[in-house]
Amino acid sequence: MTDVKSEHDWDPRSEEVLEHPLAAFDQMRNQCPVAHSQYMGWSVFRHEDVLKVVEDHETFSNQASKHRSVPNGLDMPEHTPYRKLIEPFFSRARMAWFEPLCREVSAELVGKALNRREVDIIPELAENFALKIQCAFLGWPDSLQEPLRQWAHENHEATLAGDREAMGEIAQRFSRYIHELLENRREQGEGAPNDVTTEIMNSRINGEPISEEDIVSILRNWTVGEVGTIAASIGLLMKYLAEQPELQETLRREPDHIPEAVDEILRIHGPLLTNRRRATRAVTLGERAIGCEERVTVNWVSANRDEAVFPEPDRFRWGRDQSQNLLYGAGLHVCPGAPLARLELRVFIEELLAATGGFTPTPGRSPVGAHYPASGYQHLWLDFRA
């Protein structure tokens, strides 16, 4: 698994792990479930241990970065008012309002793939859907889609390389996009668009206006989480369904089962690999001694493949207990945007299956897997028939 120095248990940037992440995570979960690496600190692979980390907010802090990150990088009590600010944006009423636009975007993109062969669905469908839907929900102009795509790709490469200087520059570039959007809205005054971005900009925390830096942080974290995971999810779902024509047909006949199928497919191979925490005291986890201030990385994908919770984890099963599925996290920082993600994925798959007679992997074109910190695929070619 690793040829790194003996004080480390594995190398998450080794070719073996990058090329075959699921097999690597399965091996680590069974052989070294709490493992140390130079790149990630402590990695936690078992479902039980992941829950211990994310539900013990006093021992494992979300303030794991040198930079302020709102709200996911905050602990209680500071986290609470920001969470209360964000949650109403994902209410049932808001989702009902957004669904028609989500369906329109989905149908438009799916329509461009009909009766085509060798469609690389990652840039054409997965990324385009994630970018269009994010800009639509936040009220951002379409002209931001390509800069955001480039920004996401460069951020991924810098993170994989561990290039902190590049990561800092890329973060500043994104911040400039947001500052310009906010400044334009201020200049428009009462004529500013009545959208999510304007609502956040005009919101208050504990009776006080939100600082510019915190508004930018909220929108940056929201976009990073949304664009990357939704694009990865679309790719993972389409690959699985392309290889399972019987499941495709079942869901065409019975679309009410799509939400359960989405959760189960993404349990097998999830779109978000890890999240970080910081130990606030010395603690023992999985018989390993973790020191105060050491970094702890929970591996969501591995936890969702834990045989102790999900027997035959590679097998698609109807009726699994999806309450144990950590697709959207757990604990205080469980993803507030889960209702939006579920809506987007459900609607996209509904439109995809309704418009197509079938889609299959393109013969002779092998998919190109994404590398950490991304999940899913960089390229995935499919053939479509109406």
Side-chain angles (χ1 to χ4, degrees):
M1 175 58 65
T2 180
D3 57 1
V4 295
K5 294 180 180 179
S6 58
E7 66 263 28
H8 302 301
D9 300 307
W10 73 310
D11 179 4
R13 290 190 291 181
S14 71
E15 183 177 350
E16 180 183 0
V17 176
L18 294 176
E19 293 299 326
H20 306 286
L22 298 189
F25 300 158
D26 291 346
Q27 182 179 342
M28 295 304 298
R29 185 177 62 252
N30 289 293
Q31 296 183 2
C32 190
V34 179
H36 195 270
S37 70
Q38 184 176 13
Y39 182 56
M40 301 177 74
W42 292 99
S43 290
V44 182
F45 294 95
R46 291 190 305 199
H47 192 281
E48 178 184 6
D49 292 332
V50 166
L51 283 181
K52 286 180 180 177
V53 172
V54 300
E55 292 181 343
D56 185 349
H57 311 298
E58 294 184 359
T59 303
F60 300 99
S61 169
N62 264 58
Q63 294 183 357
S65 171
K66 295 179 180 179
H67 305 286
R68 182 173 173 82
S69 180
V70 183
N72 50 304
L74 302 179
D75 294 326
M76 293 188 294
E78 189 179 20
H79 171 266
T80 303
Y82 284 95
R83 180 78 182 206
K84 288 182 178 179
L85 166 69
I86 289 173
E87 284 181 341
F89 291 107
F90 305 107
S91 66
R92 289 187 179 181
R94 181 83 66 162
M95 297 303 97
W97 163 80
F98 189 58
E99 181 167 342
L101 181 54
C102 184
R103 197 169 294 282
E104 179 182 326
V105 171
S106 301
E108 176 189 354
L109 288 172
V110 169
K112 294 178 180 179
L114 295 182
N115 287 321
R116 291 177 55 201
R117 296 183 180 275
E118 296 191 51
V119 179
D120 186 351
I121 64 102
I122 301 304
E124 289 204 38
L125 289 178
E127 288 184 358
N128 280 345
F129 177 74
L131 291 163
K132 283 178 177 290
I133 215 69
Q134 178 69 353
C135 287
F137 189 75
L138 291 176
W140 293 358
D142 290 344
S143 59
L144 261 184
Q145 290 176 25
E146 286 310 311
L148 285 177
R149 188 199 306 271
Q150 186 65 26
W151 174 83
H153 288 176
E154 292 180 9
N155 189 56
H156 164 251
E157 293 299 327
T159 303
L160 177 60
D163 188 339
R164 296 192 178 278
E165 182 177 350
M167 290 166 65
E169 188 281 324
I170 292 166
Q172 287 300 315
R173 191 191 323 159
F174 185 91
S175 296
R176 288 194 294 271
Y177 297 152
I178 306 304
H179 283 301
E180 291 175 6
L181 285 170
L182 299 180
E183 185 58 33
N184 287 338
R185 280 166 166 73
R186 292 191 183 97
E187 291 175 354
Q188 294 177 62
E190 294 183 357
N194 182 22
D195 56 29
V196 171
T197 298
T198 300
E199 287 185 53
I200 291 175
M201 184 180 73
N202 293 330
S203 296
R204 303 175 81 86
I205 293 291
N206 298 323
E208 298 295 328
I210 307 175
S211 70
E212 181 91 353
E213 291 72 20
D214 281 0
I215 295 172
V216 171
S217 185
I218 290 170
L219 294 171
R220 179 174 59 239
N221 290 329
W222 198 336
T223 303
V224 170
E226 177 78 0
V227 170
T229 55
I230 291 298
S233 294
I234 295 296
L236 290 163
L237 290 166
M238 292 189 68
K239 181 178 186 296
Y240 195 92
L241 291 172
E243 294 174 343
Q244 303 291 334
E246 291 184 4
L247 181 58
Q248 267 192 59
E249 289 308 311
T250 296
L251 296 177
R252 281 191 178 89
R253 294 193 307 269
E254 304 175 50
D256 288 348
H257 291 303
I258 288 175
E260 181 184 357
V262 167
D263 281 357
E264 175 67 352
I265 293 169
L266 296 182
R267 179 202 60 76
I268 295 171
H269 188 168
L272 179 63
L273 294 180
T274 62
N275 277 139
R276 294 188 298 168
R277 300 292 191 273
R278 173 179 54 84
T280 61
R281 62 180 178 87
V283 62
T284 299
L285 186 69
E287 301 182 353
R288 304 299 295 272
I290 297 173
C292 182
E293 298 300 318
E294 288 195 290
R295 183 172 37 148
V296 179
T297 303
V298 294
N299 191 307
W300 302 113
V301 171
S302 175
N304 270 342
R305 296 173 56 79
D306 191 332
E307 301 85 348
V309 180
F310 302 104
E312 298 182 284
D314 272 312
R315 181 182 172 191
F316 180 99
R317 275 191 184 180
W318 294 110
R320 284 198 196 264
D321 181 4
Q322 296 296 337
S323 69
Q324 299 298 306
N325 189 337
L326 300 181
L327 175 60
Y328 297 103
L332 177 69
H333 292 275
V334 64
C335 179
L340 178 61
R342 287 193 167 103
L343 167 72
E344 292 169 351
L345 297 177
R346 171 180 63 81
V347 168
F348 182 88
I349 296 302
E350 285 175 354
E351 293 298 317
L352 173 69
L353 294 176
T356 61
F359 51 95
T360 55
T362 298
R365 301 298 298 267
S366 298
V368 179
H371 289 164
Y372 181 88
S375 183
Y377 302 95
Q378 298 180 59
H379 300 283
L380 174 62
W381 292 273
L382 300 180
D383 295 344
F384 292 84
R385 65 177 187 275

